[in-house]
Amino acid sequence: MKTEFEVNGQPVALDVEPRLSLADCLRRDLHLTGTHVGCEHGVCGACTVLIDGEAVRACLTLAVQADGRRITTVEGLSDDQALSPLQAAFRRHNALQCGFCTPGMITTAHALLSEEPNCDEHRVREVLSGNLCRCTGYMPIVKAVLDARSAYQGQSPAQRSNLTSVEK
Amino acid sequence: MKPAAFDYAVPATLAEAVALLAQHGGEAKAISGGQSLMPMLNFRLTSPAMLVDLRRISELHGMDIQPAGTRLGARTRWCDIEKSSALAAAQPLLCAAIAHVAHYQVRNRGTVGGSIVHADPAAEMPGLSVALDAQLRLVGAQGERMVPAAEFFTGPLSTVIESDEVLVEVLLPAWPAARRWGFQEFARRRGDYALAGAAVWYDLDSNGSIINAHIAIIGASDRPRRLPTVESVLNGRKPDAASFAAAAQATSAAVDPMTDVHASAEYRRALAGTMVERALSDAAQRAAA
């Protein structure tokens, strides 16, 4: 089945099986392996991507349901040159160990801070409850997201959603 | 796991969707946000021959808040509910309870209609539809019908909806500002299905006694349901700690939970009573505040 959508600013046109998940489509067909596949039933959050700026589970979304939409993966949140505010904060706080959950943490946190740059710790914890990490114990992740807020505050919504390469 | 193969269609109108569902008999399934259906497909607990995606059907979208009541299009997402301050004023119990639904990412795609039709006995929205006396408008090949939520659920993941029917909208009666309400659920982890939960509300007569008590429970029965014996314990009594303790006791006697890997029947029976008592206590305290 033919489907067309935008991934990290680039238009893509694919012919896929309807049963292909967006996560597998991104990894297998588009070679964007930053999106990780963990549980495949909507519990772990490793596959989180943004659809029209909203965080969703790519394992619970069909590639054909992305038709006409704008997808952002973790690759789209970095320019490979300088660290984004979230990347820099994760490094500063040692907010990753094995790194498997990190793409989902970064995409989720980016969606949250783009929409709610003034969110408090309670809100950060509530939102990150949909992302499992088996290494860190979450505390450094929560601290990193709270720390990254300052880069998102005082920016327009459009500027916030494009905060991908500001070294801090 | 990966789903078994299926065909997929995105009809532009409700009539086309119904025709597709009818044409495939029981082999086609409607998909809305997919947040309940996709895990079922991935586990291969279900393997329909065709998915009919409802996303382009305009009748299923939007919410409408009127003095006479509230209409939620079946495609209303949890995040739409969370972001509507008008709805928080018009349907406070609904909005407080929806905050417990799943996680951030799921709330951006999951829909009211999908959750009701999926009919998980521990999910919030089916229980709320029963607690709030919702009417469900179904449209199928034989025409349309209104089904009260109280008559919609027949068991775990089972409802009266026919294979060619689509849930179009959920109609909620108006909510008087003075109404007392509470919602409580207990889950092991944030966003998990409730081990047990309670959605309660009541009005007060001119003597300050409870009338019109509605006590609905989730997770402690094979379907979301109201508990008439608990409601009759409350009706006519004052909203005080003794009444609420009596309601808790009546709840534990009225529910018939299952033992499963998450909790024993005995634990769930006790928990359901505690949830009702705490929800009633919240209702009274909110009024006093």
Side-chain angles (χ1 to χ4, degrees), chain A residues 19 24 40 54-55 131, chain B residues 1-3 42 77 105 108:
Chain A
R19 65 169 164 165
D24 286 338
E40 298 192 294
E54 293 175 335
N131 293 69
Chain B
M1 275 172 63
K2 314 295 179 188
N42 287 353
R77 299 174 300 164
Q105 298 95 332
N108 283 331

Side-chain angles (χ1 to χ4, degrees), chain A residues 17-19, chain B residues 1-7 41-44 46-48:
Chain A
E17 268 194 283
R19 65 169 164 165
Chain B
M1 275 172 63
K2 314 295 179 188
F6 48 76
D7 290 328
L41 292 168
N42 287 353
F43 281 128
R44 299 203 181 192
T46 182
S47 44

